[in-house]
Amino acid sequence: MTEEGLSAGKSAATPPLASAATVFFDLSRHLVAVEHTGELSQTAWKDFFERIISETALSIGFTSSFELEPVPEKHGIIGLFKSFDKLTRMRVTLRIPNPELTRYTKSLYDDLANSGVREYTQDMKSPNGLSKSEDARPYASAYLAEQGYKKGDVHFTGIRNDVEETVRSGSVSARGSIKQVRDFVRGMHTTAKTKEAQAALSAIINEIDKLHPKGEMDE
């Protein structure tokens, strides 16, 4: 509305209107699948999401905080671990809630659980080279980190292709794609029990399992 009458114009909200992303929780595996969308900041959304969950938890009496940790692609950390001809140092911070125990990680988990340790920083060094045996502590720690039970990156130093290198891994989440389900998932209810909803959810679960296979459980 102007003094001369009506005229066409554009308006924008400040701050901008919220953008949405679908998040799926697989509590049995401690995994979260987050829709990748260019509408959201690739860093800020995580901070705000964790803050919302943590403040909600505090309001209902829980004292633990909530954080999402990237689960790297399959063999992302173990592959790097094995790529060194001689690994002289490995630094990792492990978090021990309820991992999918495997024959590589059970003894390490039992040790930390029995000690009441929830977060444990390891800085393993050996000029002669750390053991790369699957039954040794370095491999178990790397395997547990690859499952997502870590804080931050895993740092490796050693000799690879006759050159001393220091590299890190674990900060980028595994990413997959599921065709033709985005629009349906956006519109479905959380309690939907239709065949279409089950098909969409099955496709999502199958893609998660492909990106992050279930651990080899001990009997």
Side-chain angles (χ1 to χ4, degrees):
M1 177 87 59
T2 68
E3 293 181 354
E4 290 77 24
L6 298 176
S7 62
K10 294 182 179 179
S11 63
T14 304
L17 297 176
S19 297
T22 303
V23 180
F24 288 90
F25 288 82
D26 187 343
L27 295 181
S28 65
R29 300 188 61 199
H30 288 196
L31 286 175
V32 179
V34 181
E35 178 187 4
H36 178 74
T37 168
E39 297 176 358
L40 300 180
S41 165
Q42 297 308 299
T43 54
W45 75 265
K46 179 176 176 292
D47 296 334
F48 287 116
F49 182 72
E50 290 174 345
R51 187 184 305 172
I52 290 170
I53 297 295
S54 295
E55 290 180 355
T56 302
L58 287 173
S59 69
I60 58 177
F62 292 98
T63 57
S64 296
S65 60
F66 178 95
E67 292 184 34
L68 294 178
E69 184 66 30
V71 178
E73 63 182 352
K74 184 180 180 182
H75 303 316
I77 291 177
I78 288 295
L80 190 58
F81 175 88
K82 292 181 175 180
S83 70
F84 282 88
D85 300 317
K86 182 168 73 171
L87 185 64
T88 57
R89 182 179 184 184
M90 185 175 82
R91 181 158 52 91
V92 57
T93 296
L94 299 176
R95 285 176 168 165
I96 317 295
N98 270 321
E100 294 179 304
L101 297 180
T102 71
R103 58 192 174 96
Y104 308 122
T105 59
K106 189 176 187 304
S107 61
L108 173 58
Y109 172 77
D110 289 343
D111 180 18
L112 296 175
N114 292 335
S115 302
V117 176
R118 291 288 299 273
E119 187 171 303
Y120 180 42
T121 298
Q122 299 176 335
D123 193 353
M124 295 173 273
K125 304 176 185 178
S126 173
N128 297 323
L130 299 171
S131 172
K132 296 170 68 178
S133 169
E134 293 184 353
D135 297 323
R137 175 61 59 87
Y139 188 90
S141 296
Y143 196 95
L144 199 60
E146 183 166 288
Q147 295 297 103
Y149 296 95
K150 61 180 178 57
K151 180 179 181 180
D153 294 343
V154 183
H155 298 254
F156 298 97
T157 298
I159 305 299
R160 187 166 57 172
N161 299 323
D162 298 325
V163 177
E164 184 175 6
E165 292 187 66
T166 297
V167 294
R168 62 184 186 179
S169 178
S171 60
V172 179
S173 300
R175 183 183 300 179
S177 61
I178 306 171
K179 297 179 179 179
Q180 300 176 341
V181 300
R182 176 178 176 177
D183 293 338
F184 178 75
V185 169
R186 279 292 185 91
M188 76 179 185
H189 297 289
T190 57
T191 57
K193 296 182 180 180
T194 64
K195 291 182 178 180
E196 292 79 9
Q198 295 300 323
L201 292 173
S202 294
I204 293 169
I205 292 171
N206 289 338
E207 184 68 11
I208 291 174
D209 288 341
K210 183 174 71 175
L211 294 170
H212 186 64
K214 293 183 179 181
E216 180 183 345
M217 305 297 289
D218 288 336
E219 296 182 356

